[in-house]
Amino acid sequence: MALTITPTVEVSHDPPRVLLTLDTTGYVGDTLEIYRVEGDTLTIVRDSETTPDIDDVTWIGYDYEAPYGTAVTYQVIVFASGTSVATATSSSTTVNETSAWLVHPGDPSLSVELVGLRQIGSRKRQITQSVQRVLGRPDPVVTADARSGVESSLSVGTSTLEQNEALATLIADGTPLLLNIPASLAWGVTYEWVALGDAEEARVVPQVGARPHRLHSISYLVVARPEGDLTPQRTWADVVSESASWTALMSARATWANVLTGS
């Protein structure tokens, strides 16, 4: 019997990700969940909870949301009729990415490397409060709501029209994005989910002309991690385009895991 989960960092992928390989040989269950573990914090890996019958299968998936430069482990929990029947924990792994990224949670292929990150704005936390000044009393009576989360802004430079278009495409649907910044860059901000507000694009060189350099100023709110599944990153069309028949496919790919990943 074996229940193992093995993480493999793919830092050269855009965006960087962790390949998760799961072996449930010998375990019978109907569902499983995979968590990323950072200290005392457990975060479910997107899509892992939708895995079907896991009886004696090798399952693979990806985690696009691991914090850069931080050691994490992965834990798998197997359930039968809603009851946990087995668990396993992986070895520690780290995504040693050196650039900042804005990662789309549903379609990671839209994600953008922030090579031109210029500035992260001041961080504001608003509060709604009522001040009542009472006659004959020097100090006012104040009632207040809870203070809101962080509001800030990004200043990002692009040097080509392709980079400009990629950023516009990423933010077009308004989905909250993962701002993932390696601590080594010393921005004081490392990992947070952000809902982007108004985006302003300005020419770096003010004269009208063909120079493509742009400076993007984008306000944002820090928000909770959004729900939702991943858009399939590899389709049957990809498989069909590579192999003319099932025989050719099986000759080219040793396992179903290889078919899914294209490896």
Side-chain angles (χ1 to χ4, degrees):
M1 295 176 63
L3 178 62
T4 60
I5 181 168
T6 305
T8 303
V9 174
E10 297 183 349
V11 74
S12 61
H13 188 272
D14 291 342
R17 63 188 182 183
V18 180
L19 168 67
L20 299 173
T21 305
L22 175 66
D23 185 355
T24 64
T25 302
Y27 286 88
V28 177
D30 42 37
T31 60
L32 62 82
E33 294 175 351
I34 297 175
Y35 291 87
R36 181 177 60 252
V37 183
E38 180 187 355
D40 295 329
T41 302
L42 276 69
T43 304
I44 195 162
V45 174
R46 199 173 298 276
D47 276 6
S48 71
E49 73 276 20
T50 62
T51 302
D53 188 354
I54 51 84
D55 184 14
D56 292 347
V57 298
T58 299
W59 177 88
I60 62 171
Y62 296 101
D63 180 17
Y64 291 90
E65 301 171 9
Y68 299 155
T70 300
V72 298
T73 59
Y74 291 89
Q75 182 182 72
V76 57
I77 305 175
V78 176
F79 295 91
S81 301
T83 301
S84 171
V85 294
T87 63
T89 301
S90 75
S91 58
S92 178
T93 192
T94 303
V95 180
N96 289 314
E97 171 61 26
T98 57
S99 295
W101 282 78
L102 272 176
V103 179
H104 194 291
D107 189 355
S109 66
L110 298 177
S111 304
V112 168
E113 182 180 5
L114 300 179
V115 291
L117 182 61
R118 304 286 185 85
Q119 182 179 352
I120 295 178
S122 59
R123 295 169 71 79
K124 179 170 66 174
R125 296 172 174 84
Q126 294 194 73
I127 190 168
T128 299
Q129 59 184 13
S130 173
V131 179
Q132 306 294 329
R133 301 190 180 278
V134 182
L135 292 176
R137 178 172 173 169
D139 54 331
V141 176
V142 176
T143 56
D145 197 0
R147 193 171 296 275
S148 69
V150 170
E151 300 178 39
S152 189
S153 62
L154 293 173
S155 179
V156 178
T158 54
S159 57
T160 68
L161 294 179
E162 290 76 15
Q163 291 176 352
N164 189 58
E165 182 62 25
L167 182 59
T169 301
L170 170 64
I171 69 177
D173 65 5
T175 298
L177 305 174
L178 173 59
L179 178 60
N180 204 344
I181 304 178
S184 59
L185 296 183
W187 279 104
V189 175
T190 55
Y191 182 99
E192 56 191 19
W193 287 94
V194 296
L196 301 182
D198 292 343
E200 182 177 353
E201 174 188 332
R203 290 177 178 269
V204 174
V205 180
Q207 292 88 348
V208 174
R211 298 190 179 184
H213 300 79
R214 301 289 188 269
L215 184 62
H216 304 263
S217 300
I218 311 173
S219 62
Y220 70 81
L221 300 173
V222 176
V223 297
R225 178 178 185 252
E227 300 295 330
D229 297 331
L230 288 169
T231 299
Q233 299 298 295
R234 183 170 162 82
T235 67
W236 281 115
D238 297 321
V239 175
V240 170
S241 67
E242 297 171 355
S243 304
S245 66
W246 283 110
T247 301
L249 176 63
M250 291 297 96
S251 297
R253 310 295 184 193
T255 67
W256 282 112
N258 297 135
V259 173
L260 178 60
T261 61
S263 60

